[in-house]
Amino acid sequence: MTWRCTEVPTLDVWSNAASSQLRDLVSSALACVLMRTDWPSDQARAVYVCSPWISDFPVFDNRYGQFDALVTQSRGSSRLRLGDVLIALASVTTVRIVSKQTEATRQFLAGRDFAGSNVHVRIAGDELHEKGLLTPDFYLEGSMNLTYSGVHLNQEKVSYHAGSDRSVIERIAAAYAELDRRWRQLTP
């Protein structure tokens, strides 16, 4: 019998506070994007962070320095937070944050100095309900806000799309088309 590695183009994750599956997925997916070495020189494909509520939750447990090489500006920190990861990504590509005026988002943006980085923020109206993280390599979408509660505590359902399956490539392309369109409509 021959075993073949088959891709799972979409992974659905249901989470709750007792499970680490969702936070492990978020940290693993972001680590993979940080390790990417073939970013296009024109930075055509931005990383999108889209969530009505965003907070600076811990993404990586870095007590042993295992993520220092990926998030160099926070070398030596025991916990690497979402803002640290976005700044690290902004050193290789454009990062676009789409959120709305919520207290969590205001605190996140006030607590981070994105000036001089390639992190750009646009605030949508109260009708924004979409939640997702879009990169050239994956699209994570679902009910989860990008907050500590969304990733670590709440009962959430997300779908993770990755791989070279045609349906995934088409889904990621469609998500880029939509988020690019929305980005252009929002005032800087």
Side-chain angles (χ1 to χ4, degrees):
M1 177 183 278
T2 303
W3 289 94
R4 291 188 181 166
C5 179
T6 58
E7 289 186 28
V8 178
T10 297
L11 173 67
D12 291 325
V13 176
W14 287 265
S15 71
N16 59 53
S19 168
S20 67
Q21 190 176 12
L22 182 54
R23 64 181 166 261
D24 291 346
L25 173 62
V26 169
S27 64
S28 296
L30 287 171
C32 287
V33 171
L34 285 167
M35 287 187 282
R36 183 179 180 157
T37 59
D38 63 340
W39 288 95
S41 59
D42 66 352
Q43 299 179 349
R45 284 274 170 117
V47 168
Y48 276 99
V49 177
C50 184
S51 179
W53 289 270
I54 301 174
S55 71
D56 210 13
F57 63 91
V59 174
F60 301 125
D61 178 348
N62 193 44
R63 286 178 280 184
Y64 304 106
Q66 66 271 38
F67 295 100
D68 281 351
L70 297 179
V71 188
T72 57
Q73 80 280 0
S74 299
R75 187 179 307 272
S77 297
S78 64
R79 299 255 181 228
L80 300 176
R81 300 182 168 280
L82 180 62
D84 300 318
V85 172
L86 297 180
I87 290 170
L89 282 170
S91 70
V92 293
T93 194
T94 301
V95 175
R96 294 177 174 171
I97 298 172
V98 177
S99 190
K100 64 183 190 179
Q101 286 288 0
T102 61
E103 187 58 32
T105 301
R106 279 192 292 275
Q107 287 178 7
F108 170 69
L109 295 174
R112 283 290 165 175
D113 184 11
F114 292 127
S117 72
N118 204 8
V119 176
H120 306 279
V121 179
R122 299 228 175 135
I123 300 299
D126 285 339
E127 67 280 357
L128 177 69
H129 191 69
E130 181 176 353
K131 299 146 189 116
L133 186 56
L134 177 62
T135 77
D137 299 322
F138 72 85
Y139 181 34
L140 180 68
E141 63 175 330
S143 66
M144 173 191 74
N145 280 296
L146 290 167
T147 63
Y148 181 86
S149 295
V151 175
H152 291 265
L153 300 175
N154 295 346
Q155 293 182 354
E156 305 285 358
K157 193 271 185 179
V158 300
S159 296
Y160 174 76
H161 313 283
S164 58
D165 184 87
R166 190 166 61 104
S167 67
V168 170
I169 292 168
E170 290 171 356
R171 182 179 297 269
I172 289 174
Y176 266 110
E178 181 60 24
L179 285 171
D180 285 342
R181 183 189 66 76
R182 290 183 188 185
W183 182 261
R184 287 188 302 274
Q185 289 177 339
L186 294 171
T187 309

